[in-house]
Amino acid sequence: MPPLSAPLSPETLARFVAIVGERHAVTEPAEQAAYLEEPRGLYHGATPVVLRPGSTAEVAAILRLATELGVPVVPQGGNTGLVGGQIPHDGEILLSLKRLDRIREIDSASSTMTAEAGVVLQAAQQAAAAVDRLFPLSLGAEGSCTIGGNLSTNAGGTAALAYGVARDLVLGLEVVLPDGRVWHGLNKLKKDNTGYDLKHLFMGAEGTLGVITAAVLKLFPAPKSVETAFVAVETPEAALALFGLVQGRAGGSLTSFELMARICLDMALRHGTNLRDPLTTPSPWYVLIEFSSGASEGLRDLLEETLGLALEQDLVTDAVMAESLEHRAAFWRLREFVSDAQRYEGGSIKQDVSVPVAAVPDFIRAASEAVTTLIPGCRPVPFGHLGDGNIHFNVSQPVGADKAAFLARWDAISDAVFAEVLSRGGSISAEHGIGVMKRDYLPRIKDPVALDLMRTFKAALDPAGILNPGKVV
């Protein structure tokens, strides 16, 4: 099914609006604007109407009508995606899931939460904390991203090292298929071997196979103690060796291990407010380490002893441990502002990639050499989740360069970075998805059989091609 090529007739538009009611159908351009531009401003969309259903039944009615009439629909959660997958690029109807924002149940005995797709991630975290549980998915956009979007893109985040990515935190799903049927898969079972595990089809599919309307999420015991340290290291190789040491001593207590180049701190400190350098002497590289435990005592001693051993082995040049909750929060504010800080430095070409953990130092070195050879003076800004091999390899424009001319080299920079990723057995998308930004790369890098299977699933579940056309495959 091709994208919408002609405006909807008034009669057709009225049929869609009637499903949600005029109050929840947005047609005025000024009111639509917040839905039609993604956070970095790279993609701008257009739509005849933003439909805001308030129930699974309304979502089903919308998709049933869309399939009947051959009208394409783009689902959207919190509109925080970075690869253009949530934007209606060709005038499709936009289906906003934000009104599906109920937490239907928290089952403390089963350690589960049943949340609708429009629940904001931070609200899910807070609801879990209110019953002394932890929902560990944590992202920089957690104040605005939604559970449905997190699952549709298989979000990762800073706690993936210990708890896995979004798909690892789900027991069951409720999904509306393109023809309007509803798959009622909201079970709480950790063991269910009754055939294909269908939920994994829809997580990471970016709304191309069905619309997730609710999920059963795994909860964990709330940690009784958390200890955090900001650590200086000379090289990524030293950071990798430190990771091995820390993981060996802390085991499951190690919940985050974040790597940052000095340029990350320089940009954040230059443009952020209420941020300060945690250490007195600059270092080429830093690691943010966090331990969490169900035990109320002993964790700080473990972290202190581990850092002392690392200093003895010359893996660490300096370190500071958080002395309070606010001190810990300050470390994380610095880490989380790195992406935003790059906006103030001009054009930034951003890549979300992963390589085997052992290959991270060599990848950073080779990719940095590749992009600076391609564009002399450009500034690599590598940071990310060293513990799971996911590096955000961003490249800022040369100081004083023309922003538009630099951004015009996006594909060339991507080609250079992806070549280094693929030569090390990595992935060109670790946690942001494919959307439209990386769609054309898939035929070049994906196993042909895997790509054929993806297209087979799409054709089987959405034969009319109405659901998020032009995305992923």
Side-chain angles (χ1 to χ4, degrees), residues 120-139:
V120 172
L121 174 55
Q122 191 171 70
Q125 295 168 343
Q126 292 170 345
V131 295
D132 199 32
R133 294 292 186 273
L134 171 72
F135 182 58
L137 189 64
S138 182
L139 318 172

Side-chain angles (χ1 to χ4, degrees), residues 220-275:
F220 298 82
K224 297 297 186 294
S225 58
V226 178
E227 297 292 344
T228 312
F230 205 93
V231 179
V233 295
E234 286 293 321
T235 64
E237 287 80 5
L240 180 62
L242 176 63
F243 174 64
L245 172 67
V246 172
Q247 190 176 47
R249 291 180 59 82
S253 297
L254 176 61
T255 48
S256 294
F257 197 94
E258 300 287 300
L259 177 69
M260 292 166 280
R262 177 66 204 186
I263 191 173
C264 300
L265 268 66
D266 288 339
M267 289 183 175
L269 294 169
R270 190 153 53 237
H271 302 293
T273 57
N274 299 318
L275 298 177

Side-chain angles (χ1 to χ4, degrees), residues 330-341:
F331 290 168
W332 280 106
R333 282 196 300 271
L334 187 59
R335 159 63 181 86
E336 290 164 357
F337 190 65
V338 170
S339 288
D340 286 342

Side-chain angles (χ1 to χ4, degrees), residues 309-332:
L309 187 58
L311 282 163
E312 291 176 8
Q313 296 181 10
D314 293 326
L315 300 179
V316 169
T317 57
D318 199 2
V320 59
M321 293 176 58
E323 298 295 338
S324 64
L325 290 176
E326 175 53 33
H327 199 188
R328 170 180 178 259
F331 290 168
W332 280 106

